[in-house]
């Protein structure tokens, strides 16, 4: 069976739009109607005219789509596609931090579960984290769950006090990059510009030439002839499609296993059978929606 053709046919019949994150397998990105980073997917899911959204990514992304479009059917082909980073920040941890720092707003990374977002003041992505924190009048800001992204925001906003919650939260895939990896890349590819994702450690950020979100990379990595990219290896596919004459080097071992769970058969079954629907309780969705929409307003 030609799954690509069947997926396109079913999507048209079911009035469905397929959204895929930049880290998804190449065949999923190629069959998707929309690809992007977390911020782009959040915006475009809300704006989509179709009645069904199929989210190819991890579960918190599908939750975000459902929160922003409660009237739509939101499907995720693999509901077991979780995010270890998101699981590091619970609603209880947020409440405890707010109690310990009364009056300080909590900026929560969009890589978080719906119940956690509901306890926070505003969400952010790696693309807009510094802008979101800068938009808040308070000097002391709670930020989680990614401590490396918090450190990046602190470096951009020295006038603020950014408190990472939890103190050592992080993405396992990005946290595995080391300064030694950067040094090796400089020796192997002396003419390349090195860019890392802000989920990498502060040491790797400082050792790199540039720091940017996946969306930033896709918009800006056509300016040089050769790049070394320190983020999940899936980013190589959209970059190579957009800039075919540019050389990109990624670490083949930098794989998020949850981002690779969805295959074409899963996506076909999702569209054929209407599985697996994502639900978020009205109470949690209403509170989380406020935090997400505040972010979208800041990002306009």
């Amino acid at each position: 069976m030609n799954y690509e053709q069947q997926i396109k046919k079913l999507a048209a019949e079911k009035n469905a739009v397929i959204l895929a994150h930049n880290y998804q397998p190449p065949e999923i990105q190629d069959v998707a109607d929309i690809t992007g980073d977390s911020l782009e997917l959040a915006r475009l899911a809300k704006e989509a005219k179709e009645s069904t959204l199929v989210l190819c990514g991890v579960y918190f992304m599908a939750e975000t789509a459902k929160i922003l479009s409660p009237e739509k059917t939101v499907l995720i082909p693999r509901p077991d596609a979780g995010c270890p980073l998101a699981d590091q920040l619970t609603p209880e941890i947020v409440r405890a931090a707010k109690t310990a720092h009364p009056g300080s707003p909590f900026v929560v990374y969009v890589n978080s579960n719906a119940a956690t977002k509901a306890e926070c003041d505003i969400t952010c992505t790696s693309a807009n984290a510094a802008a979101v924190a800068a938009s808040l009048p308070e000097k002391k800001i709670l930020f989680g769950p990614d401590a490396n992204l918090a450190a990046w925001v602190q470096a951009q906003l020295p006038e603020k006090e950014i408190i990472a919650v939890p103190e050592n939260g992080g993405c396992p895939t990005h946290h595995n990059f080391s300064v030694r990896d950067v040094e090796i890349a400089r020796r192997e590819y002396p003419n390349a510009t090195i860019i890392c994702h802000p989920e990498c450690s502060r040491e790797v950020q400082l050792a790199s030439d540039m720091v940017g979100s996946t969306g930033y990379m896709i918009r800006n990595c056509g300016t040089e002839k050769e790049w070394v990219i320190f983020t999940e290896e899936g980013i190589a596919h959209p970059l190579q499609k957009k800039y075919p004459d540019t050389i990109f080097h990624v670490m083949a071992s930098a794989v998020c296993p949850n981002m690779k769970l969805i295959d074409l058969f899963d996506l076909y079954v999702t569209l054929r059978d209407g599985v697996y629907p994502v639900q978020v309780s009205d109470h949690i969705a209403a509170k989380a929606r406020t935090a997400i929409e505040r972010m979208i307003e800041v990002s306009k």
Side-chain angles (χ1 to χ4, degrees):
M1 180 186 291
N2 185 319
Y3 285 122
E4 291 92 340
Q5 286 184 2
Q6 289 300 311
I7 286 165
K8 289 293 189 183
K9 179 172 178 286
L10 285 167
E13 290 173 359
K14 303 289 180 75
N15 191 30
V17 61
I18 302 167
L19 304 103
H21 190 270
N22 292 324
Y23 296 157
Q24 285 289 294
E27 61 272 18
I28 297 297
Q29 294 192 47
D30 288 345
V31 80
D33 302 296
I34 295 167
T35 58
D37 64 12
S38 297
L39 177 59
E40 290 160 339
L41 295 184
R43 281 175 171 164
L44 294 168
K46 185 179 181 182
E47 294 169 3
K49 301 294 188 288
E50 290 83 358
S51 59
T52 297
L53 309 176
V54 180
L55 205 298
C56 297
V58 293
Y59 197 79
F60 76 78
M61 297 177 179
E63 280 188 327
T64 302
K66 183 64 177 177
I67 289 164
L68 290 173
S69 303
E71 76 287 356
K72 294 176 183 174
T73 298
V74 177
L75 305 174
I76 184 167
R78 289 291 296 265
D80 55 334
C83 174
L85 172 60
D87 294 339
Q88 292 169 41
L89 184 62
T90 64
E92 293 75 20
I93 292 173
V94 173
R95 289 194 290 267
K98 285 188 151 192
T99 299
H101 302 278
S104 296
F106 203 118
V107 177
V108 66
Y109 196 19
V110 75
N111 299 32
S112 54
N113 299 314
T116 298
K117 288 183 177 75
E119 296 292 333
C120 297
D121 299 277
I122 188 169
T123 61
C124 76
T125 71
S126 54
N128 65 15
V132 166
S135 75
L136 301 172
E138 293 84 359
K139 181 178 184 296
K140 184 188 291 186
I141 295 170
L142 304 169
F143 190 104
D146 195 291
N148 293 330
L149 182 58
W152 167 245
V153 172
Q154 181 67 82
Q156 307 311 302
L157 303 173
E159 72 279 8
K160 301 278 192 183
E161 180 185 358
I162 308 295
I163 301 171
V165 183
E167 189 176 352
N168 297 309
C171 163
T173 302
H174 286 92
H175 208 66
N176 280 339
F177 293 121
S178 67
V179 172
R180 185 168 180 272
D181 293 327
V182 179
E183 292 169 347
I184 291 170
R186 288 207 186 278
R187 287 198 298 271
E188 291 188 358
Y189 312 111
N191 298 318
T193 300
I194 297 177
I195 185 170
C196 77
H197 194 280
E199 287 182 24
C200 295
S201 72
R202 186 64 185 142
E203 292 75 23
V204 170
Q205 294 173 21
L206 291 169
S208 301
D209 299 313
M210 301 170 69
V211 181
S213 68
T214 59
Y216 179 89
M217 292 173 186
I218 288 173
R219 287 190 300 274
N220 294 282
C221 283
T223 57
E224 307 292 339
K225 292 182 179 178
E226 186 176 7
W227 295 82
V228 177
I229 312 282
F230 284 104
T231 190
E232 212 274 351
E233 63 84 34
I235 195 67
H237 183 67
L239 284 172
Q240 206 66 74
K241 282 179 71 174
K242 185 168 183 180
Y243 306 111
D245 298 325
T246 303
I247 299 168
F248 296 102
H249 307 284
V250 296
M251 285 185 66
S253 61
V255 175
C256 170
N258 288 294
M259 277 288 189
K260 307 304 188 195
L261 287 177
I262 296 170
D263 60 24
L264 289 172
F265 178 72
D266 295 325
L267 182 51
Y268 165 71
V269 170
T270 287
L271 286 160
R272 185 191 68 190
D273 299 345
V275 292
Y276 293 88
V278 175
Q279 299 295 339
V280 181
S281 74
D282 291 345
H283 172 67
I284 288 175
K287 293 175 70 177
R289 188 177 304 116
T290 299
I292 297 166
E293 289 181 342
R294 282 188 72 188
M295 171 192 73
I296 291 174
E297 282 301 310
V298 168
S299 302
K300 281 183 177 176

